[in-house]
Amino acid sequence: MENAYVLQLSDHKFQDLYLCFCGYAKCEPLHSFGPAVRPNYILHYILEGKGRYYVEDTQYELQAGQGFLIEPEVQTFYQADQEEPWTYLWVGFHGSQAREYLKDIGLNSHQLIFRCSHAEELKQIVITMLKNNTSSTTNQFLLESLLYSFFSILSQDIDIVPSAVANEENMYIRRALEYIHNNYSNSIKVSDIADYVCIDRSYLYRLFRQSMDMSPQDYLVNYRITRAAELLSLTDLPVGGVALSCGYRDPLVFGKAFKLKRGITPAQFRKKNRKDANEHLQTNQDILGKL
C-alpha cells in the first residue's frame, strides 16, 4: 500500500510538452507497481528511503536524491525497500518534443537514472501542481509552466548515473520479458516462455528468482493483473472483455486471480477506483497544505 496524492489530467492545450498526471506518495514496505507498460513518460524522484527499479532485465538500487525515467511502452517494475521504504514524487508527461527535452537534460533509453540535489524545489513544484487540480484555462497554463520549471531545475543540477552492462543471463531475461509483453493476452504458459528463450524451464525459473525476485509464473500473472487494472481504470470495457484482453479465457478464473492479487473483485476495483478518484479531488487541498 501507499499513502498517495495524485492528479490525473484528461485534457491538454499544448503539443510540445504537456502534463498527464503527477503525484506524491509515502510507500509501505515492499509496495510495488508493475510489471507494467505505461503510455507516457514518467519521472520519479526519491525524497526519502530507498527501493528497486527494474527496466526489462536490468535492476537498479536507488535511494533518496536519485530518480528514474520510465519511457512509453517499455516494461518496468519498481518496489519500495522493506526496511526503508521510499517516499517519492512523480510527473507523467508527453508531447511531440518530450524525447528531445529529456535528451537535453541527459536522459534517454540508455541513461535512465539520475541524481539531483534540489529535492525541496521539486517537491514544491509537484505539490503546487496537485493543489491546482481543475481544468480551467488558468490552471492549464500554470501546470504547463510548472512542468517546464521541473525540467529547468533538473537541468541545473542533474547527475546522470551510468547504466549497467548487460550479460548473457540478462539476454535470456530480456527475451523472456519480450515474449510475455507480446503474448500475455494469449494462453501462454511458462513452458512456452522457456521454449522461446531456448533454455530449460528450471534455469529460467532460477534466472527470474535472481533478477526479478519472483518466478516466471508470478511475473506473468502480475503483468496480466496490472494490465487488467489499467483497463478497468481507464476504459469502460466489460469485465469479460478485460479478462480476454489479459489472457484469461474464463472470467471466473480471471476474477479469482484478480482478487488474489488486489484483494477485491474486478467490478469492485473499478467502482472503488472511480469513487476514490472523485473523493481525492475534493479532499486533497487541506492535506497537501500540510506537506
Side-chain angles (χ1 to χ4, degrees):
M1 298 292 293
E2 62 178 356
N3 185 14
Y5 311 102
V6 184
L7 169 64
Q8 297 272 1
L9 301 171
S10 57
D11 301 320
H12 59 268
K13 293 176 63 68
F14 308 96
Q15 298 300 320
D16 285 1
L17 183 72
Y18 54 85
L19 185 70
C20 301
F21 48 83
C22 63
Y24 172 97
K26 184 176 181 63
C27 296
E28 296 293 330
L30 297 180
H31 171 78
S32 65
F33 186 89
V37 175
R38 313 299 288 275
N40 311 109
Y41 292 96
I42 310 174
L43 283 170
H44 279 74
Y45 180 76
I46 305 163
L47 297 167
E48 299 175 2
K50 55 187 179 180
R52 295 175 294 172
Y53 175 45
Y54 299 88
V55 185
E56 296 182 332
D57 62 322
T58 304
Q59 174 184 331
Y60 300 93
E61 299 285 342
L62 302 176
Q63 58 187 349
Q66 293 184 300
F68 57 93
L69 169 66
I70 296 176
E71 295 186 295
E73 305 308 321
V74 175
Q75 186 170 262
T76 61
F77 171 79
Y78 46 97
Q79 183 177 52
D81 185 69
Q82 184 169 9
E83 302 298 328
E84 300 178 52
W86 50 21
T87 295
Y88 53 40
L89 54 82
W90 66 91
V91 291
F93 54 92
H94 218 301
S96 60
Q97 294 300 308
R99 182 179 294 273
E100 286 301 312
Y101 293 165
L102 285 166
K103 182 179 178 182
D104 288 342
I105 63 174
L107 296 173
N108 55 53
S109 299
H110 304 292
Q111 302 291 342
L112 300 171
I113 310 302
F114 63 92
R115 295 187 187 90
C116 181
S117 62
H118 294 286
E120 189 59 32
E121 292 93 328
L122 295 177
K123 176 182 174 181
Q124 290 305 316
I125 286 175
V126 171
I127 289 175
T128 304
M129 288 176 173
L130 290 167
K131 289 181 177 179
N132 292 275
N133 54 22
T134 66
S135 59
S136 67
T137 298
T138 299
N139 275 353
Q140 288 192 56
F141 279 108
L142 175 60
L143 291 172
E144 184 75 0
S145 69
L146 290 168
L147 180 58
Y148 276 98
S149 294
F150 195 95
F151 270 71
S152 175
I153 289 173
L154 286 182
S155 69
Q156 295 172 24
D157 184 37
I158 195 168
D159 180 18
I160 303 301
V161 179
S163 298
V165 178
N167 56 33
E168 185 181 57
E169 292 184 349
N170 286 343
M171 179 190 70
Y172 290 138
I173 293 292
R174 184 186 301 112
R175 293 189 65 200
L177 298 183
E178 175 186 78
Y179 184 81
I180 292 171
H181 170 63
N182 291 330
N183 296 277
Y184 73 94
S185 59
N186 301 319
S187 299
I188 61 172
K189 303 183 293 295
V190 174
S191 58
D192 298 319
I193 304 171
D195 289 343
Y196 177 80
V197 179
C198 299
I199 60 176
D200 181 80
R201 178 172 175 166
S202 61
Y203 183 42
L204 178 68
Y205 175 88
R206 188 162 67 253
L207 289 180
F208 264 77
R209 294 300 304 181
Q210 291 173 351
S211 298
M212 311 302 295
D213 200 26
M214 66 181 73
S215 70
Q217 179 65 26
D218 286 340
Y219 191 95
L220 174 60
V221 171
N222 287 343
Y223 184 79
R224 283 172 165 164
I225 297 304
T226 300
R227 294 293 280 173
E230 291 175 347
L231 290 174
L232 290 167
S233 299
L234 302 175
T235 76
D236 292 318
L237 194 66
V239 171
V242 172
L244 286 172
S245 298
C246 297
Y248 292 93
R249 298 296 174 258
D250 186 340
L252 293 178
V253 174
F254 166 65
K256 290 179 180 179
F258 192 95
K259 187 173 183 179
L260 183 64
K261 291 293 183 181
R262 298 287 174 139
I264 55 178
T265 67
Q268 290 169 336
F269 176 87
R270 171 173 277 168
K271 183 178 180 179
K272 182 178 185 300
N273 182 270
R274 295 183 178 181
K275 179 183 177 182
D276 288 349
N278 290 331
E279 291 179 349
H280 181 78
L281 289 177
Q282 297 173 11
T283 61
N284 259 1
Q285 294 287 351
D286 291 339
I287 298 173
L288 289 170
K290 301 176 182 178
L291 295 177

